[in-house]
Structures are given as structure tokens and as C-alpha cells.
Amino acid sequence: MLSKSDFGKDFLWGVATASYQIEGSIDVDGKGPSIWDTFSHKKGKIKNGDTGDIACDFYNRYEADLDLLKAMNLKVFRFSISWSRIFPEGTGNVNQKGLDFYHKLIDACLARDIQPWITLYHWDLPQTLQDKGGWANREIIDWFCNYVETCTKAFGDKVKNWMVFNEPAVFCILGHVLGIHAPGIKSIPKFMAATHHVCVCQGEAGRIIRQNVPNANIGTTYSCMHVEAASKSLNDLKAARRMNALLNRLYIEPALGMGYPTNGWEALSRLEPFIKDNDLEKLPFDFDFIGLQNYTQMVVKAAPAPPLMWALEESPQKRKVSEITEMGWEVYPEGMYKIIKQFDRYEKVNQIIITENGAAFKDTPINGRVQDLQRIRFFRNYLRNVLKAKREGVNITGYFVWTLMDNFEWAEGYHPRFGLVYIDYETQERIIKDSGKWFARGFDI
Ligand code: FCB
């Protein structure tokens, strides 16, 4: 048995979402195109040819969707701002109608006693900025700071909880090395440039929020997973060490004042050409909390190729693990505990929030009901591991489910369903799944 109250009365329970995955209305009220609008319309990039054109139509349905959140007794709504709604061209003229939408959304949260938590960047860069080189162009530091300045000045009197980035490792690696996410680039130098600019922006944005938002609670989020070597061989252990540096250390350690983790992965010396005078001082920022987003673990073995990393994932299918989600990810609840402990070992991490965790399984509505027992079991087991770390003294103050409702899952399209709420994409009908009801009643009580 597990209950919400085990986590204490001040523990925050919420859901996380992202603009492109839910909003739709991609070209209304003056919004400019983002790299995800462009990428999803390219042939063969997204499964089934899906796009975020309509998504959950959240742009028009946010009031009713916040009612669902309320019905599930969840207090926090984490959402991201679409940069190209505010600046259709990335910089220059502010689009008042874009600001108005987020004002209305924030007001609708506050009216329901739901806390709005803003992510400033959840992957949908304005296309005009990508046309100038995007994250690989150093000018992005100015573009991003200008955007952050505008958002914090506009919303800072109403919103106290801010996150700079969603998962830098994912948009840098999948977008700039593997090319499977927008902007679809495959280039190690561009990845290195983007990574450094993201890390400078991370610190600079933190300082802008601190200056513009009174009593702000400032964080940023990291994708993270326990990395296990496939064997005890020295080569596998070294490969796991490199992978850990890339996946778990690269973006947080500069923020903590530790510099880049070249001691874990020598190839990070290739960041050097992009590091200009005084940059290193701009990397650290005292975040109030660190958002951890965990889904699975990775088992790694040494590989003769590809170069640079010399490491390959041993797939869950090959390892014949007992449970795999619709994303092909291993269900590994102990990994949640292990990764929390790993991040807690950083002296400067004072507070951890699980800003995303969840699972995609096949959901079938039967007579208006979605009995997603497998997802309930997933939450129960992952939450037990959060609780274990908390009871050992880690300062974990909240847990946000990925996600409120089924939505556009990037390159995978609409097929994986992560929501606490089921969406019929034909009719946009919403059904609270049994897992949503489980959260509503405070678990197995
Ligand atoms: C995370 C992303 C989020 C969603 C989940 C499943 O990496 O932050 O947008 O796609 O994975």
C-alpha cells in the first residue's frame, strides 16, 4: 500500500506538459513557425506522418483541461511557453496575442488554485532562429536572454516557479547528433557548439529570473538515468562512464560550478573552441531546485564504433527484461532510486523535484473506462523508490507525472499514450484513466 500522505503534507503533486505536444493552433493569433512545425511536416520524420498541428487542441480547451487536473486532485500544472507565440520571428516584435494566451492560461490556473510552473524552453525553437543556425549560433545567447527577459517581466508577478530548460541532453543529442528530433542535424561540432551555448544560457537565464521575479523558485530539468555497464570488463566499465558523463553529467555540472565533465569523457575537449572569454564564469547558477526526469535505465557496453563515444546501448529486448513500455523502454523502478541518489551526491544540489515520470502503455477504452492497471503499478513502484530516497534524507519536494493527457510524443507521433487522461483524437473527447482516479483518491487507500 502506498498513499500520498506518506510523502508529507507539503509535498507537491502535479503533471507536466509541453507546448508543442498539446497546444495545436500552430498558426493562429500571430504565432510564427517553430522547428517542430517544420520538422514534423518533413516526410518520414514522424511515425505515421503525425504532426502537432492539432494535438490536444489545448489552445482552445485549456479551461476544461485544467478542470480535469483539479478533478484528479493535482495541484501543479507544469507547462512550457512556445517561444514563437511570443516572438514569431524569435526576436524583435513581441506578439501581444501570444502573451495574452499565457496570461489567460495562468489566470485560469490561479482561479482553480492550481500552481502554474513554467518551463521556458521545451524544444520548440522559432524556425527563423534555426535558419540563422539555432543553438549552434552563439547569438542564441542574446536571443534567449531577450526571450527570458520578456517572459519573466510579463508573467513574473503571477508565477513564482520557473524552469529554464527541459532536458538539454535530449534536444542537443537527438536534435544535433542523431537527427531524430528537430532540427534534425547530425553534426558533432554543431552538437558541441549547441551544448556550450545551452550551458551559458542556463546560467544567464537563472540570473534574469532571479532579477525579474520577486521570491522566485528557480530550477531547470534534466533527463537522467542510471547507467549500468553490461559486464565487469574494464572496457564496458569505461564505456558506461563515458555514457554517464554524456547523459547525466554534461549539463548539470557546469551549472554547479564544476565545469564540463571531461574527466568522464575526454571528447568533451571538443567544446573548447566554442568557449569564449568570460564564458566559464557564466555557467554556474544557484538553482533553488533541480528537476529530475527519469523513465528507465541504460545498460552499456564498449563498442568499436561509432567514434567519440565508443559505447552502445544493450537493448532491453536483447537483455530480455520483464517489462517494456510502448516506447521500448525498460520498466526499472529501482533506477529512480539510484539516479536520485546519484544527483543527491552533488554538494550543491539542495532540493530535488521529480519533474517528469510516467509510462506509455496500450490503453483501450471499454464502455467509457480506461483500466490502465499496468500504469498504476508503474507509478506505485516508481513512487516507492522516490519515497525510499526521501526517507533516507534526500530533500525531494514534489513529483509531476508525465503527463496530463495523451499527446504528440515527438518522433513517435500519437501512438504512445502517456496521459492520466485518455484522448480520442477523432473527437477530442477526454476520459480520466483509472491511473488518474488513483491519483485523485490519493493511491491505494
Ligand atoms: C521526455 C520529454 C517529454 C516527453 C517524455 C515522454 O523526455 O521531456 O516531452 O516526451 O519524455
Side-chain angles (χ1 to χ4, degrees):
M1 288 300 225
L2 187 73
S3 127
K4 255 187 185 174
S5 56
D6 295 334
F7 293 77
K9 68 173 178 9
D10 294 328
F11 197 81
L12 289 171
W13 296 96
V15 292
T17 62
S19 47
Y20 188 71
Q21 294 180 276
I22 60 170
E23 286 177 1
S25 298
I26 53 160
D27 53 4
V28 306
D29 292 339
K31 178 185 173 296
S34 82
I35 54 174
W36 270 96
D37 292 313
T38 312
F39 189 74
S40 66
H41 278 268
K42 283 194 181 148
K43 223 171 154 222
K45 298 294 183 197
I46 313 292
K47 285 209 179 122
N48 198 34
D50 291 342
T51 73
D53 290 4
I54 297 172
C56 309
D57 192 27
F58 179 77
Y59 194 78
N60 297 308
R61 296 170 192 262
Y62 62 92
E63 296 259 5
D65 288 339
L66 291 175
D67 288 341
L68 293 171
L69 193 59
K70 190 93 189 143
M72 292 187 288
N73 282 325
L74 296 164
K75 274 266 165 356
V76 169
F77 182 55
R78 175 184 169 216
F79 62 95
S80 73
I81 296 180
S82 157
W83 184 341
S84 64
R85 282 197 199 282
I86 311 295
F87 288 102
E89 313 246 295
T91 55
N93 292 333
V94 176
N95 175 34
Q96 186 57 45
K97 286 191 171 157
L99 290 177
D100 290 347
F101 170 67
Y102 292 105
H103 272 299
K104 285 186 280 179
L105 174 57
I106 291 163
D107 292 344
C109 288
L110 298 175
R112 288 165 178 77
D113 202 19
I114 291 171
Q115 296 180 21
W117 285 53
I118 290 181
T119 312
L120 282 158
Y121 186 78
H122 200 130
W123 307 355
D124 44 356
L125 188 75
Q127 180 60 43
T128 43
L129 299 183
Q130 189 58 50
D131 297 341
K132 297 180 194 157
W135 287 103
N137 180 343
R138 195 179 162 85
E139 283 181 65
I140 192 121
I141 301 170
D142 291 338
W143 303 331
F144 188 65
C145 287
N146 174 55
Y147 161 68
V148 175
E149 187 80 39
T150 304
C151 292
T152 47
K153 284 200 170 133
F155 310 124
D157 55 341
K158 299 189 216 171
V159 179
K160 297 297 157 205
N161 303 290
W162 293 77
M163 286 147 285
V164 177
F165 284 122
N166 184 72
E167 302 189 342
V170 174
F171 72 84
C172 289
I173 301 169
L174 273 54
H176 296 80
V177 182
L178 303 177
I180 55 177
H181 276 189
I185 292 169
K186 291 182 190 166
S187 154
I188 301 290
K190 290 221 164 87
F191 162 74
M192 295 288 172
T195 291
H196 179 59
H197 301 146
V198 161
C199 289
V200 173
C201 285
Q202 190 171 244
E204 296 287 77
R207 281 178 281 280
I208 295 172
I209 305 170
R210 188 72 81 213
Q211 183 160 17
N212 290 348
V213 182
N215 308 316
N217 183 31
I218 309 172
T220 191
T221 78
Y222 299 104
S223 50
C224 53
M225 57 182 115
H226 172 68
V227 176
E228 185 76 35
S231 79
K232 294 220 154 47
S233 82
L234 192 57
N235 281 344
D236 284 353
L237 289 168
K238 282 183 170 168
R241 187 178 158 81
R242 287 192 291 277
M243 191 62 92
N244 183 48
L246 172 69
L247 297 183
N248 296 320
R249 300 176 55 197
L250 178 53
Y251 298 89
I252 187 170
E253 292 192 5
L256 300 178
M258 300 165 71
Y260 289 114
T262 24
N263 64 353
W265 185 32
E266 310 73 37
L268 289 176
S269 60
R270 293 179 63 167
L271 288 163
E272 270 161 31
F274 305 104
I275 305 176
K276 305 294 178 208
D277 286 355
N278 308 323
D279 275 6
L280 294 178
E281 302 150 26
K282 295 181 185 147
L283 301 175
F285 179 72
D286 279 330
F287 284 104
D288 299 309
F289 70 92
I290 292 298
L292 297 188
Q293 318 204 143
N294 173 256
Y295 292 87
T296 187
Q297 69 162 342
M298 190 184 277
V299 176
V300 169
K301 61 174 194 287
L308 276 189
M309 185 47 82
W310 307 103
L312 273 182
E313 178 182 10
E314 189 122 89
S315 77
Q317 287 79 1
K318 191 156 174 227
R319 289 186 285 118
K320 299 201 169 55
V321 304
S322 58
E323 200 181 4
I324 299 179
T325 71
E326 286 289 292
M327 294 294 282
W329 298 344
E330 175 186 4
V331 175
Y332 185 64
E334 297 79 13
M336 174 63 94
Y337 170 79
K338 290 182 184 174
I339 202 69
I340 292 172
K341 295 293 270 193
Q342 178 172 332
F343 276 73
D344 187 52
R345 279 198 287 275
Y346 289 119
E347 209 179 302
K348 288 207 167 155
V349 172
N350 305 318
Q351 187 189 165
I352 289 174
I353 297 179
I354 306 304
T355 40
E356 281 185 23
N357 173 237
F361 295 116
K362 273 208 175 71
D363 294 316
T364 321
I366 300 170
N367 297 328
R369 179 161 175 205
V370 180
Q371 283 183 285
D372 56 339
L373 294 177
Q374 198 177 2
R375 187 174 289 102
I376 292 177
R377 197 172 63 223
F378 176 98
F379 284 130
R380 193 189 290 119
N381 291 334
Y382 274 71
L383 278 167
R384 278 196 177 128
N385 281 280
V386 174
L387 189 58
K388 182 174 167 204
K390 187 169 159 52
R391 286 194 169 144
E392 286 176 11
V394 182
N395 185 25
I396 310 172
T397 55
Y399 174 95
F400 307 163
V401 173
W402 184 268
T403 179
L404 171 58
M405 52 198 164
D406 299 336
N407 61 42
F408 177 79
E409 180 46 42
W410 311 112
E412 298 296 316
Y414 291 100
H415 166 70
R417 292 179 174 273
F418 273 95
L420 293 179
V421 174
Y422 180 91
I423 298 224
D424 178 336
Y425 291 109
E426 298 286 306
T427 60
Q428 290 289 347
E429 188 199 349
R430 273 86 163 132
I431 303 171
I432 296 182
K433 299 178 192 176
D434 281 8
S435 57
K437 296 178 190 162
W438 186 78
F439 272 98
R441 52 166 202 274
F443 311 131
D444 311 301
I445 41 177

